Amino acid sequence: GPILLVGPPGVGKGTQAKVIMSAWHVPQISTGDLLRGNVSAGTELGLLAKQVMGRGELVSDDLVNRMVAVRLREPDCVQGFVLDGFPRTIGQAAWLDTFLERECHTLPVVAIQLKVDYTHLVRRVTGRRNCPTCGSIYNVYLQPPKTDELCDLDGTPLQRRSDDTEEVFAERLRSYEAQTEPVVAHYRAMNRLADLDGDQPVDAVTAGVLAAVKRLR
Ligand code: AP5
Ligand code: ZN
């Protein structure tokens, strides 16, 4: 069934989602990546989302839900999927519950809350670099590439996200506390939530994610 990764900016949702994708051959659906794709393609949605993302605020439920609906109706989602960064408001969670019930007939969701001490998140976010070719995620302090600023897999120069500054990070964290923490409570109340310490090596976090999925599904 669907796996939902929930947690503050920089906690490791994207990193873990990519590992699950290759381990279990299910697609990773990152609303942040989908939105950034729209921004760089200059679509109508991208134009609407760009300023909001630059301020570290959340794009409206209506726009994000419609984008997710299109993606979840694609054939590769039939066997399950990993959602990374969605739902992040109570409105999105309620919408997803209804959507899955009506259209997906999958097993119930497993929501995993990743936790890292807030004081450690700043380095994760400001040190992050992404490969525009293959999507690999690095960190100049914590997960550096073998050659400075180049992707290990394909040699592409790594990029930094424009919202990965300390200022925008602080606002993203505020959005998380105000709007996404209630989502955690929503899945906890449904007994569909596992908490996991994200402040461990990537492999150890992955082992915890896989164990939580087996336990809850
Ligand atoms: P989004 O792209 O989802 O950003 P985010 O939630 O802030 O999460 P991040 O991508 O920053 O972090 P992550 O948890 O994926 O961490 P990662 O694995 O990269 O959203 C961006 C914006 O889009 C939002 O602000 C909003 O405007 C909009 N948006 C997106 N979804 C939305 C929605 N549903 N509704 C409304 N608006 C939406 O890791 C971070 C770093 O740490 C990396 O450098 C990595 O190498 C390193 N790292 C990871 N794990 C470890 C580890 N175990 N040990 C050491 N280092 C690690
Ligand atoms: Zn690459």
Side-chain angles (χ1 to χ4, degrees):
I3 300 169
L4 318 179
L5 296 179
V6 190
V11 78
K13 302 181 294 292
T15 299
Q16 294 302 324
K18 286 181 202 306
V19 180
I20 299 170
M21 172 172 71
S22 37
W24 288 349
H25 308 286
V26 290
Q28 170 202 11
I29 301 167
S30 157
T31 46
D33 287 349
L34 291 174
L35 288 167
R36 280 184 289 277
N38 276 277
V39 170
S40 46
T43 67
E44 196 181 334
L45 170 59
L47 294 174
L48 290 167
K50 189 176 180 192
Q51 312 295 326
V52 180
M53 293 171 78
R55 290 195 299 269
E57 294 167 10
L58 295 182
V59 178
S60 77
D61 286 355
D62 184 51
L63 291 176
V64 175
N65 292 347
R66 272 193 282 162
M67 177 181 81
V68 170
V70 170
R71 182 66 186 87
L72 292 185
R73 285 182 182 126
E74 285 173 27
D76 63 331
C77 291
V78 172
Q79 302 297 334
F81 45 85
V82 187
L83 272 170
D84 153 12
F86 182 93
R88 47 202 281 165
T89 66
I90 283 291
Q92 292 175 13
W95 175 87
L96 181 66
D97 289 346
T98 307
F99 183 90
L100 292 177
E101 202 177 289
R102 282 199 193 139
E103 299 203 23
C104 288
H105 311 290
T106 52
L107 295 166
V109 303
V110 175
I112 297 176
Q113 179 191 26
L114 295 174
K115 292 181 172 178
V116 168
D117 195 286
Y118 281 0
T119 57
H120 297 172
L121 290 176
V122 186
R123 270 162 76 81
R124 288 210 181 181
V125 166
T126 56
R128 171 171 40 205
R129 301 290 184 275
N130 292 308
C131 174
T133 302
C134 69
S136 295
I137 305 169
Y138 297 89
N139 191 293
V140 294
Y141 312 118
L142 306 164
Q143 312 263 293
K146 292 194 185 79
T147 312
D148 234 18
E149 303 286 335
L150 297 180
C151 179
D152 291 346
L153 301 179
D154 46 46
T156 310
L158 301 178
Q159 291 181 352
R160 192 175 169 181
R161 267 167 54 181
S162 59
D163 61 346
D164 278 350
T165 62
E166 276 194 49
E167 296 71 29
V168 183
F169 166 73
E171 195 51 45
R172 285 158 61 197
L173 198 52
R174 272 193 282 278
S175 304
Y176 178 79
E177 290 182 318
Q179 292 172 272
T180 310
E181 276 180 0
V183 172
V184 173
H186 173 83
Y187 291 109
R188 199 187 300 285
M190 289 165 65
N191 284 319
R192 303 307 307 161
L193 185 85
D195 294 289
L196 196 60
D197 177 15
D199 223 341
Q200 315 174 67
V202 172
D203 291 353
V205 179
T206 302
V209 169
L210 302 185
V213 171
K214 287 190 179 122
R215 186 156 45 81
L216 279 177
R217 82 162 155 215

